[in-house]
């Protein structure tokens, strides 16, 4: 079992910044990579970014366009999502997730390949 806890969401104006964090606990040694996803009502969960624990390799959704940065602190079992130049369309509940399977691409964008999920944190960007 890998337990995940997100924090850092909130209300920000368009053009502003927020930094989300996600701390893993439990069997963290089994986690190979972490991902950030987001979801709005009535829509499927959408990939945002992911990072490998060991290599630090990252993967980003196209819509990020250099605005977001994902990074990790292995000692703290924590990943971060620095979000800059936020837009109203970035409003969503943001989730972190843990990917355990060591085969294939670790930084996968496929939500179904992530086994554990946090409870989510709300990000609201006002215009």
């Amino acid at each position: 079992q890998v337990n995940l806890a997100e924090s850092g969401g909130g209300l920000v104006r368009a053009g502003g910044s927020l930094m989300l964090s996600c701390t893993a606990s439990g069997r963290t040694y089994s986690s190979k990579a972490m991902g950030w996803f987001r979801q709005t009502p009535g829509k499927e969960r959408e990939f945002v970014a992911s990072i490998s624990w060991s290599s630090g390799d990252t993967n980003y959704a196209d819509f990020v366009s250099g605005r977001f940065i994902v990074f990790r602190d292995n000692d703290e079992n924590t990943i971060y999502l620095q979000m800059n130049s936020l837009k109203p369309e970035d409003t969503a509940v943001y989730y972190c997730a843990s990917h355990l399977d060591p085969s294939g691409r670790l930084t996968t964008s496929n939500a179904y390949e992530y086994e554990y999920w946090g409870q989510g944190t709300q990000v609201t960007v006002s215009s």
Side-chain angles (χ1 to χ4, degrees):
Q1 180 84 13
V2 177
N3 303 304
L4 303 173
E6 305 101 333
S7 62
L11 173 64
V12 65
R13 289 187 175 182
S17 298
L18 277 176
M19 187 167 75
L20 307 182
S21 63
C22 172
T23 299
S25 61
R27 302 181 70 174
T28 57
Y29 59 85
S30 63
S31 178
K32 305 305 178 189
M34 298 287 288
W36 285 102
F37 292 79
R38 67 187 189 182
Q39 190 169 25
T40 54
K43 293 189 176 181
E44 289 196 357
R45 203 159 287 191
E46 177 182 43
F47 172 73
V48 177
S50 56
I51 185 167
S52 165
W53 281 115
S54 58
S55 67
D57 286 347
T58 57
N59 184 21
Y60 292 96
D62 290 342
F63 68 80
V64 169
S65 299
R67 299 182 298 127
F68 298 175
I69 301 171
V70 60
F71 58 101
R72 77 209 193 284
D73 182 336
N74 290 50
D75 291 337
E76 297 294 329
N77 292 318
T78 299
I79 65 166
Y80 302 89
L81 184 68
Q82 176 65 45
M83 303 187 292
N84 303 316
S85 302
L86 282 162
K87 306 174 182 180
E89 51 264 44
D90 293 318
T91 295
V93 177
Y94 283 71
Y95 298 89
C96 68
S98 174
H99 176 60
L100 276 58
D101 189 350
S103 64
R105 184 177 186 180
L106 297 183
T107 55
T108 178
S109 60
N110 186 345
Y112 292 100
E113 295 185 53
Y114 287 81
E115 291 83 357
Y116 295 101
W117 293 81
Q119 81 286 352
T121 185
Q122 176 71 46
V123 171
T124 302
V125 184
S126 63
S127 58

